[in-house]
Amino acid sequence: MSPRYDRVAIAFHWLMAVMITASFAVGLYMVSLTMSPTRIKLYNWHKWAGVTILTLAALRLLWRLRHAPPPLPPTMPQWQTKVANVAHLLLYVLFFAVPLTGWAYSSAAGFPIVWFGWIPLPDFVPKDRELAEFLKPWHWMAAYALAAVVAVHILAVVKHLLMDDDNLMSRMLPNMTGDK
Amino acid sequence: MELVQAPIRKILAATGVLMLLTLPSLASAQQRLVPAQSEIAFVSKQFGVPVSGKFKKFDAEVTFDPKKVEAAKVNFNVDLLSADIGNSETEAELKKPGWFNSLKMPQANFTSNAVRALGGGKFEFSGKLSIKGITQNVVVPMTLTQSAGVTRAVGSFTLKRLDFKIGDGEWNDVSLVANEVVVNIKLALTGVTPL
């Protein structure tokens, strides 16, 4: 059996996978709504989730810097290893870029974030109409870029599962059998 | 000649009397608001998030002598259409009938009916605040300071938006948009006699 990611890395991966997917879906839905109490709630939940994802990303990065991931199978062609590394790097960059652009946009639009309706977060950009208009597409683009890299990531998983038959995905699956 | 001069003398005399009559009222002429140095701002809470804005257009007729507050009179008008939240979407929403209904009723008005001097430059302006055709009694505490001929008045009060049916209907859930709205006032006035 190939070397596995450690349990903490696995927990970070799946927790963030669920949260990012949910936030992306809520984000797409909420912008289609006209102004309503529901829309305001969704925007706030989306922001809370975004700040949570940002926090998880920071913790996950710290963990990863101290716990090297298991090496990729030596059977993989070098170009694929390179693509995988670049894709993982991009994922980490976007884990930060998407929430940070969203946070900045929210502040610029005059809605400071109060995490879980409880912890007021600082505005690192001023309330500014033009700045808000400038930042809005960057949040969108970053989110779509993240979705695109996640799509590549999933296609690679499918490729390894169906074409390479190297059971690479098991490295990131929770160990259900209880084996060490 | 004399026939001509007599009416002129009469006119001059009459003008003199008129001037004398108007002088006292000129001396107690209304104080002037300097809108460019004044600010009417507000903060409401949306899901715990402070959302602030200000009104860009407002004006007031002020008769105010710190030594004769019983004769003071403030008539303040705010153009609700001039609300600046920093966000066009929210501003468009604010104009709707459920909120300010400002396309139909663009004016908010405060008319004082009693002013109390509390000492130390502090004054309490009681009066009627009308928004959306609904009138409520409010008390606005203000602190005055003077320098270089300009009197600055700073104060704030809290109003309950639902008292004025602001955010009526689907928006009346105060856990989403708080009922309390803090109004922060900074005024610059000229022509006020020393405190």
Side-chain angles (χ1 to χ4, degrees):
Chain A
M1 192 161 161
S2 55
R4 295 169 49 76
Y5 277 90
D6 61 78
R7 277 193 233 177
V8 176
I10 291 171
F12 273 130
H13 174 272
W14 290 105
L15 188 56
M16 286 184 69
V18 169
M19 290 205 65
I20 287 171
T21 308
S23 297
F24 188 68
V26 168
L28 286 181
Y29 175 63
M30 72 189 194
V31 295
S32 74
L33 298 176
T34 52
M35 191 66 89
S36 70
T38 307
R39 184 176 185 261
I40 295 209
K41 282 181 194 164
L42 289 176
Y43 265 78
N44 278 284
W45 292 339
H46 178 80
K47 291 174 193 181
W48 299 350
V51 174
T52 309
I53 290 165
L54 181 63
T55 310
L56 288 172
L59 295 172
R60 186 178 180 184
L61 178 64
L62 286 176
W63 184 264
R64 169 140 183 170
L65 291 175
R66 284 167 176 76
H67 303 80
L72 288 166
T75 48
M76 267 174 75
Q78 211 182 0
W79 72 269
Q80 285 184 18
T81 314
K82 261 187 193 154
V83 170
N85 287 336
V86 169
H88 286 140
L89 178 69
L90 273 176
L91 284 173
Y92 272 82
V93 169
L94 292 165
F95 289 160
F96 288 92
V98 179
L100 284 173
T101 50
W103 183 351
Y105 169 57
S106 188
S107 295
F111 299 98
I113 299 177
V114 182
W115 203 12
F116 303 119
W118 180 41
I119 305 167
L121 302 183
D123 294 323
F124 56 88
V125 299
K127 176 175 170 180
D128 181 318
R129 213 179 279 259
E130 278 172 32
L131 182 63
E133 285 309 305
F134 170 80
L135 286 168
K136 196 175 179 179
W138 283 98
H139 182 56
W140 273 78
M141 288 189 287
Y144 274 108
L146 180 55
V149 185
V150 167
V152 169
H153 180 74
I154 294 169
L155 283 174
V157 170
V158 172
K159 175 195 171 283
H160 279 277
L161 204 63
L162 301 181
M163 292 166 72
D164 301 336
D165 202 16
D166 56 7
N167 202 19
L168 197 63
M169 190 169 73
S170 67
R171 299 161 13 125
M172 197 44 115
L173 289 179
N175 192 345
M176 301 299 190
T177 58
D179 297 342
K180 277 276 163 180
Chain B
M1 277 300 269
E2 275 185 25
L3 281 170
V4 181
Q5 274 179 343
I8 289 175
R9 240 182 251 135
K10 271 185 184 168
I11 290 168
L12 281 173
T15 312
V17 170
L18 266 175
M19 279 180 77
L20 281 172
L21 282 173
T22 36
L23 266 177
S25 73
L26 274 177
S28 68
Q30 286 188 348
Q31 286 58 57
R32 284 201 180 279
L33 179 74
V34 189
Q37 291 177 47
S38 305
E39 191 178 87
I40 307 292
F42 54 90
V43 185
S44 78
K45 279 205 169 177
Q46 197 185 79
F47 230 44
V49 177
V51 180
S52 57
K54 57 186 165 195
F55 294 104
K56 288 190 284 192
K57 273 193 217 156
F58 49 87
D59 210 348
E61 288 167 33
V62 180
T63 307
F64 181 77
D65 181 340
K67 303 278 192 293
K68 278 187 273 177
V69 290
E70 59 287 348
K73 192 79 191 161
V74 178
N75 186 1
F76 211 107
N77 282 316
V78 176
D79 178 3
L80 297 177
L81 281 170
S82 75
D84 180 356
I85 298 234
N87 183 289
S88 316
E89 227 176 355
T90 312
E91 283 159 11
E93 178 68 21
L94 216 48
K95 289 175 184 150
K96 291 182 181 173
W99 292 99
F100 282 158
N101 199 13
S102 44
L103 292 168
K104 284 213 176 111
M105 285 181 267
Q107 290 265 319
N109 175 269
F110 171 80
T111 304
S112 70
N113 51 27
V115 180
R116 278 207 305 153
L118 304 178
K122 292 190 197 306
F123 296 87
E124 218 174 55
F125 292 79
S126 306
K128 299 205 176 290
L129 178 62
S130 304
I131 307 172
K132 280 182 95 172
I134 299 170
T135 302
Q136 300 280 349
N137 290 315
V138 292
V139 178
V140 186
M142 300 290 285
T143 303
L144 273 61
T145 52
Q146 292 178 320
S147 71
V150 179
T151 302
R152 294 187 191 276
V154 178
S156 80
F157 70 100
T158 303
L159 63 83
K160 290 202 163 72
R161 65 179 181 92
L162 292 177
D163 288 352
F164 298 92
K165 294 205 186 326
I166 299 168
D168 209 7
E170 64 170 347
W171 293 100
N172 66 9
D173 178 2
V174 294
S175 70
L176 188 70
V177 180
N179 201 4
E180 291 77 17
V181 178
V182 179
V183 182
N184 293 310
I185 305 161
K186 281 184 206 164
L187 305 177
L189 293 156
T190 55
V192 181
T193 53
L195 288 166

